[in-house]
Amino acid sequence: MNASARLASWRSLARAWGRRFTAASIQIKTTGITVAVVLLLGVGVTWQVRAYLARELRQSLEERGVAVARGLASRSTDLVLTGNRFGLYELIRETIETNPDVRYAFIIDRDGQIAAHSFSNAVPPDLLQVNQATDEAPYRIELLASEEGLIHDIAVPLLGGRAGMIRVGLTEHRLRAAVARAVRALVAATAAALLVGVVAAILLTRVVTQPVLELVEVTRAVGAGQLDRKARRYMDDEIGELADAFNTMTDALARSRDELLRHNRELAALNAVIVAVSHSHDLRAALNAALAKTLESIPATAGWIVLLEGDRATLAAHCGLPEAFVARENSSAIAPCHCLEVLRTGDVTLLPTVQVACPRLERGRALDGVAWKDHLSIPLLAKDKVVGVMNIAMASAQAALGAANLSLLEAIGQQVGVAIENARLWEELKQKEVQRGQLLKRLISAQEDERKRIARELHDEAGSALTSLLVGLRLLEQQADVMGGLSERIGELKETCAHTLEGLHRLSAELRPSALDRLGIVAALEQMVADHGRRWGVAAHFQALGFDKFTLPSEVASSLYRIVQEALTNVARHAQARTVGVLLERRPDAVVLIVEDDGRGFDPHALAGDEGAHLGLLGIRERAALLGGRFTVESAPGQGTTLFVEIPCGAAMLTAACAEPALDNQPAKVVS
Amino acid sequence: MKKIRVLLADDHAVLRAGLRALLNAQPDIEVVGEAGDGAQAVQLARALTPDIALLDISMPGLDGLAAVQQIRRLCSSTRVVVLTMHEEEGFLRQVLDAGGTGYVLKRAAETELLTAIRAAYRGEAFVDPAMTRSLIQGYLGQEDTFGQPPADAELSPRETEVLALIAAGYSNQQIAEKLVISVKTVETHKAHIMEKLGARSRVDLVRYALDKGLLKHP
């Protein structure tokens, strides 16, 4: 457990170092590796050389020591035997002088006494104890640790030990100095190699990374959108090939970007034109906006749009042209020119094209200071029909426009053409709608007037005549009392007369109730709802809210009255209702009329089935719409039907009701 | 015997002639003057001070109603009986408001007119039976439309909210939008409210809301 944890921690440490190493730049990596290799080599060689040299030198030192000791022994034997101390001293002195490595030498006679020695005072006693030579071996070497370092002590017996013993001590002083010198030389060599290695590594990585770094920098620039940046080719190696491939790629990128941008510009221009023409129903404003956008996209500074209105060509929009030129173009019959010809003949194949030396611009140059000579003509097409021409003025040098641009202009021309057509249709529709509304209004008011007239005629004239007939018959009856049989006949006539009067009254009330004009909408509706209930045997309720102090404008009142009439007729014919409710409510800004029944209902989305009810609802919708009102039906099979009519009617439109609203605005009666 | 002096005012000469013949044929009635419009009627009433002024409501110039008012103001001894084609209660109310004593429909002229004149002469009000019938029916019908809701009828706050909007004339769709609920939920609420209140129609709901002060109207 513990061991595996340690292993894991080691691994993670190794990974961290690995990451740190791989994250370093190439220069640091290369230099680091060079330094490490050179150092390793230097240290290893120095180590090996030092060990080897020390061993070899030590061996040769010992060999030399043995030779010196033996020489000393052979030369000193006689002197020892003769007891020539002086000779021995001389011999030792000479030996030390001729062998710088000899630290000391001394001779022990057969009695174990020091015969001669090289020490200034006496031979250290502990030195005497060590390295006792045996008789068998010719010599014996012992290493002694002294204050002056290691001493190789060599003992050589004299005459097999019978004559004494020679002891020679060799110091490693010179040996160590030699080894140290060698090590210093090696370290110096390593340092030099390291320097050279580092410089070489830096230079090499420079050579490799410089182009790569530059390539990186260029790549970043390209990434930021500078597609014109090129990578430099330093050498004909792999990096050079990479630079070439990179440059080829950026060239391709730049080309496709330019293509895209051009497409984008074209689309943006087209879009701008479409937005310009579709945002306005005003044709002139739309054309001016479209022209401005087109000029912006080319770019050009001046242009105009010629439309064919009837037989006359007019300058419908212009931009950047002198006012005088425009006025002249619009005031007089325009001299024939190619684009007008196209307009008249509708020959699309001639367009779009560059018009060189346009006669109109020529005249403009002469009279109004127009700066251009040529123009570009773009057909404005609607359903493959030329409805106008968009001309863009240009200096002649500019005239050679690319084919791609022409196709864009063609597309713009089509859009503008469609917009012109739409605007015309829209205008036409609007006019028709207005006319329709006016006609309908007039029709309705004429109908109301006519009904009013007929109702009054029936009511007053025919009614009075019948009444007088009735009265006359009554008189006749009184006078004819005596003549039997006749009074019965008169009674029958009176009956018929009264019946006719009643019918007349109902007819006139249906045509135009005098209550509406004389008592106001609330009383009229109340009467109508009550009559409806009586006539059809259903529970009919009416409630008006908020009309205590106000009355409605007469056209609103008649419309609401007719709407209720139509709605109740629908209820009577189709709903099979038991209860009918009519509500008239005034809100601060509107009048709301609700007609509700609990009949069989219907699906408002599938009205087509019942033509009569459908037409009735259409009539209601139409009347509400003419007053700017809104009509809503809520119904479902088996759920009854509720009609909502909301007519905007602010307080300003409501007239304060007087005590007798009918008296003041009652028109003079028609007496015929 | 003193005859009832009657002033005839109608813009139709034929009718006036017929009426004059009828009235003059009565032993107790005599026509003292005839007017073709309201202004003339007022003028003659002032000059002649008849017992009864028999007026049509619809007359050119000064309207019949205005004539009723003026005659009542200027010669208080003259009682006004209106002879008219109009069967709407509103007219009857206006005539009574203006000070008229009798209201006779033209279609009942030959039967009710004489009764009305004699009644008015006696100082009694007279309304054509056809009208009283409709008046009474309307009155009864009005009473009948919506009885008091059950005493234990208690609406939840949400139902009260929906009721206020229904009464204010909003469609189910509009209410659904205002309260951010579904149309189905509005319909369910409405059905519950109708059931709780015993209401038969939206009109009943409006009247209830009006009664409870749920409506704020200008």
Side-chain angles (χ1 to χ4, degrees), chain A residues 26-27 202-218 232 234-235 239:
Chain A
I26 289 181
Q27 179 143 4
I202 288 176
L203 284 178
L204 182 68
T205 48
R206 240 329 124 72
V207 165
V208 173
T209 56
Q210 185 63 31
V212 170
L213 284 178
E214 199 175 303
L215 211 53
V216 166
E217 198 260 329
V218 173
R232 192 138 54 102
Y234 281 92
M235 282 165 280
I239 296 174

Side-chain angles (χ1 to χ4, degrees), chain A residues 262 266 298 352 354 376 398-409:
Chain A
R262 200 173 56 77
E266 287 183 11
I298 289 183
V354 175
L376 197 67
Q398 240 183 324
L401 235 79
N405 248 336
L406 276 186
S407 75
L408 165 69
L409 294 177

Side-chain angles (χ1 to χ4, degrees), chain A residues 531-550:
Chain A
D531 285 348
H532 179 89
R534 273 195 291 274
R535 187 166 165 196
W536 299 99
V538 296
H541 312 306
F542 172 76
Q543 182 72 50
L545 287 177
F547 287 89
D548 305 339
K549 297 192 186 95
F550 296 98

Side-chain angles (χ1 to χ4, degrees), chain A residues 22-36:
Chain A
T22 48
S25 74
I26 289 181
Q27 179 143 4
I28 288 177
K29 273 181 208 152
T30 317
T31 315
I33 287 172
T34 310
V35 166

Side-chain angles (χ1 to χ4, degrees), chain A residues 108 167 207 213 230 241 305 328 430 554 581 609 664:
Chain A
I108 303 168
R167 295 271 299 273
V207 165
L213 284 178
K230 292 278 170 276
E241 272 175 34
I305 291 176
R328 194 187 320 284
K430 223 164 56 182
S554 78
D664 290 342

